[in-house]
């Protein structure tokens, strides 16, 4: 049996990570894909679990060898999803979840048309800004960059199969389960 690919996207700070963590705790038959990144690990992140932390030279080699299903650059760092990783997990019958930006999600949809695209929306722009600031993980400049990209990301949500507003964790989780299970 071949697994199914789910692509979850949404602006930074909408709570994708929190939502997916709770979803994965409840559904063992789903696996979160691990992407490659050139950024430095945040406190508590583990190589091979949260991301594969690689150098710019290693990332360039992956691009040259066409190893990525998608890749993108954001805030001076690059992120990519390895084809071999996703194909292996799907062939093992695992349902794979990609948590990626909207541009990457649209690249995936063009390559794997039967992937299920889900866009997570914030309850409001003001709430999103408060969440980003509440993280205390980024500079003011990085927060402003993220906020500037929100409008285009939300505009691209029209290309997704489903939209889920994350205004209440339990409510959003139920909506996600209705789509994915």
């Amino acid at each position: 049996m071949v697994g199914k690919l789910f692509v979850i996207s949404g602006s930074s700070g909408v709570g994708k990570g929190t939502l997916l963590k709770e979803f994965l705790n409840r559904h063992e038959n789903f696996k979160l894909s691990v992407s490659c990144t050139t950024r430095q690990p945040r406190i508590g992140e583990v190589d091979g679990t949260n991301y594969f932390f690689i150098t710019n030279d290693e990332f360039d080699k992956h691009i040259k060898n066409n190893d990525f299903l998608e890749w993108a650059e954001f805030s001076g760092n690059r992120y990519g999803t390895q084809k071999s990783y996703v194909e292996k997990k799907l062939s093992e019958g695992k349902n794979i979840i990609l948590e990626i930006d909207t541009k990457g999600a649209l690249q995936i949809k063009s390559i794997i048309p039967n992937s299920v695209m889900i866009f997570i929306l914030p309850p409001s722009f003001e709430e999103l800004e408060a969440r980003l600031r509440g993280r205390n993980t980024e500079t003011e400049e990085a927060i402003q960059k993220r906020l500037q990209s929100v409008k285009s990301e939300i505009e691209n949500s029209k290309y997704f199969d489903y939209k889920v507003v994350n205004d209440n964790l339990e409510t959003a989780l139920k909506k996600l389960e209705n789509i994915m299970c």
Side-chain angles (χ1 to χ4, degrees):
M1 183 172 105
V2 175
K4 191 156 184 96
L5 181 63
F6 295 88
V7 180
I8 308 284
S9 194
S11 303
S12 238
V14 296
K16 297 181 303 288
T18 303
L19 191 57
L20 286 174
K21 181 179 178 185
E22 188 58 36
F23 179 86
L24 291 166
N25 283 340
R26 297 181 187 191
H27 301 280
E28 294 176 2
N29 57 329
F30 288 83
K31 170 93 173 102
L32 186 62
S33 177
V34 180
S35 298
C36 295
T37 185
T38 59
R39 79 160 169 76
Q40 293 300 305
R42 292 180 182 147
I43 294 171
E45 288 183 328
V46 177
D47 185 51
T49 300
N50 302 99
Y51 286 97
F52 295 110
F53 295 98
I54 63 175
T55 65
N56 277 305
D57 287 343
E58 290 171 310
F59 204 96
D60 289 339
K61 285 180 189 171
H62 284 300
I63 292 170
K64 183 180 175 190
N65 294 331
N66 198 27
D67 293 337
F68 291 128
L69 281 172
E70 59 79 32
W71 70 272
E73 186 170 339
F74 189 80
S75 294
N77 298 302
R78 294 184 288 174
Y79 301 82
T81 304
Q82 289 181 294
K83 286 180 197 175
S84 59
Y85 180 89
V86 172
E87 289 168 351
K88 180 179 186 285
K89 297 297 180 189
L90 289 173
S91 71
E92 291 171 354
K94 299 201 184 312
N95 294 312
I96 300 299
I97 302 170
L98 297 181
E99 180 189 347
I100 57 177
D101 74 348
T102 53
K103 282 192 237 174
L106 296 175
Q107 289 175 33
I108 295 289
K109 190 66 171 179
S110 70
I111 297 166
I112 306 171
N114 66 340
S115 58
V116 179
M117 308 275 287
I118 305 166
F119 193 87
I120 310 297
L121 290 159
S124 70
F125 186 81
E126 294 76 22
E127 175 65 22
L128 178 66
E129 183 173 2
R131 289 177 185 179
L132 287 173
R133 292 188 185 287
R135 285 178 171 178
N136 292 319
T137 59
E138 300 182 68
T139 65
E140 179 62 25
E141 181 183 354
I143 290 170
Q144 289 303 319
K145 267 188 173 177
R146 290 192 186 278
L147 290 173
Q148 288 172 10
S149 68
V150 169
K151 288 184 177 122
S152 67
E153 289 173 335
I154 290 174
E155 174 65 23
N156 281 332
S157 73
K158 66 185 175 192
Y159 300 112
F160 284 68
D161 302 312
Y162 301 95
K163 295 178 194 173
V164 174
V165 176
N166 190 10
D167 52 351
N168 172 282
L169 181 62
E170 200 57 40
T171 303
L173 187 57
K174 291 276 186 237
K175 290 177 185 173
L176 203 57
E177 288 173 331
N178 286 339
I179 295 165
M180 297 172 69
C181 297

